[in-house]
Amino acid sequence: MSIENEIKIMKDNYPKSIIFVKIGAFYHTYLKDAYIISYLFGYQLKKSQNINNCGFTATIFDNVIKKMEVEKISYIISNNKFEIEGQQNFGDENKYDEVFENAYKYLLKRNKIEEINRYLMENIGNNNIMKEINEIEQIIYKF
C-alpha cells in the first residue's frame, strides 16, 4: 500500500492528531499535519505523491514533541510500517483545529508573498520592473 493510502487511513482513525512517521533519520508529517508543522517551525511545506508533507531530522524530534505538548496538540508517533509507537491525546483541550486554521491562513499569505517575490526576481532584468517595484513601495510605505 502507498504512503498516501496509509496516511489517509491513519488520518481517518486519528483526524485531530498530528501523525509523525519516522522514515530513516527523519520524521515526516502529511496533509493538514504538514501545514501545522510548517507553520509552527518554519519548515518547508512540500508536495510529493500528490500530498503535502513536511519533514525534519530525528535529532530535533524531542523539541517538536515539547512544542506539541505546550500547544496542546494531540499526536501519534508511527514507524515506517505505520505501527503506532507512542501517542498523546489532549482530549477536549486539543488545539489541533485551531492551530490548523491559523497555519492554513498564514501559509496562504506566505505563499502569495513568495509568488510575488519569485515574479519580481524572474523579471529583475525587465526595464519595466522598477515601475512595479515603485507601486509596491507606495503600498508599503504609503507615500
Side-chain angles (χ1 to χ4, degrees), residues 30-77:
Y30 301 90
L31 305 168
K32 287 181 168 183
D33 303 352
Y35 281 86
I36 293 171
I37 296 301
S38 177
Y39 169 69
L40 291 176
F41 297 96
Y43 300 147
Q44 186 69 35
L45 185 66
K46 298 177 183 175
K47 190 165 204 154
S48 65
Q49 298 183 22
N50 297 320
I51 59 174
N52 291 319
N53 68 76
C54 184
F56 54 90
T57 64
T59 58
I60 62 167
F61 185 67
D62 289 342
N63 293 335
V64 173
I65 291 302
K66 285 177 190 171
K67 182 77 169 173
M68 297 302 100
E69 292 176 1
V70 166
E71 297 290 332
K72 294 201 182 308
I73 302 170
S74 296
Y75 60 86
I76 304 287
I77 303 167

Side-chain angles (χ1 to χ4, degrees), residues 32-139:
K32 287 181 168 183
D33 303 352
Y35 281 86
I36 293 171
I37 296 301
S38 177
Y39 169 69
L40 291 176
F41 297 96
Y43 300 147
Q44 186 69 35
L45 185 66
K46 298 177 183 175
K47 190 165 204 154
S48 65
Q49 298 183 22
N50 297 320
I51 59 174
N52 291 319
N53 68 76
C54 184
F56 54 90
T57 64
T59 58
I60 62 167
F61 185 67
D62 289 342
N63 293 335
V64 173
I65 291 302
K66 285 177 190 171
K67 182 77 169 173
M68 297 302 100
E69 292 176 1
V70 166
E71 297 290 332
K72 294 201 182 308
I73 302 170
S74 296
Y75 60 86
I76 304 287
I77 303 167
S78 171
N79 60 31
N80 62 347
K81 295 178 182 163
F82 297 92
E83 300 165 334
I84 295 174
E85 295 184 342
Q87 67 184 67
Q88 171 68 327
N89 185 342
F90 288 103
D92 292 341
E93 294 180 345
N94 188 10
K95 302 280 193 258
Y96 183 95
D97 286 332
E98 179 183 328
V99 175
F100 171 73
E101 285 300 317
N102 292 336
Y104 186 76
K105 290 174 187 174
Y106 172 83
L107 290 171
L108 280 177
K109 292 173 191 172
R110 188 175 81 184
N111 288 342
K112 287 284 187 191
I113 291 168
E114 288 172 358
E115 286 175 27
I116 291 167
N117 184 57
R118 194 170 20 261
Y119 169 81
L120 292 171
M121 293 306 292
E122 287 171 359
N123 291 286
I124 200 165
N126 184 328
N127 291 336
N128 296 325
I129 196 70
M130 284 311 296
K131 178 182 176 227
E132 293 172 353
I133 290 172
N134 288 335
E135 290 172 4
I136 293 169
E137 285 179 329
Q138 286 180 3
I139 293 168

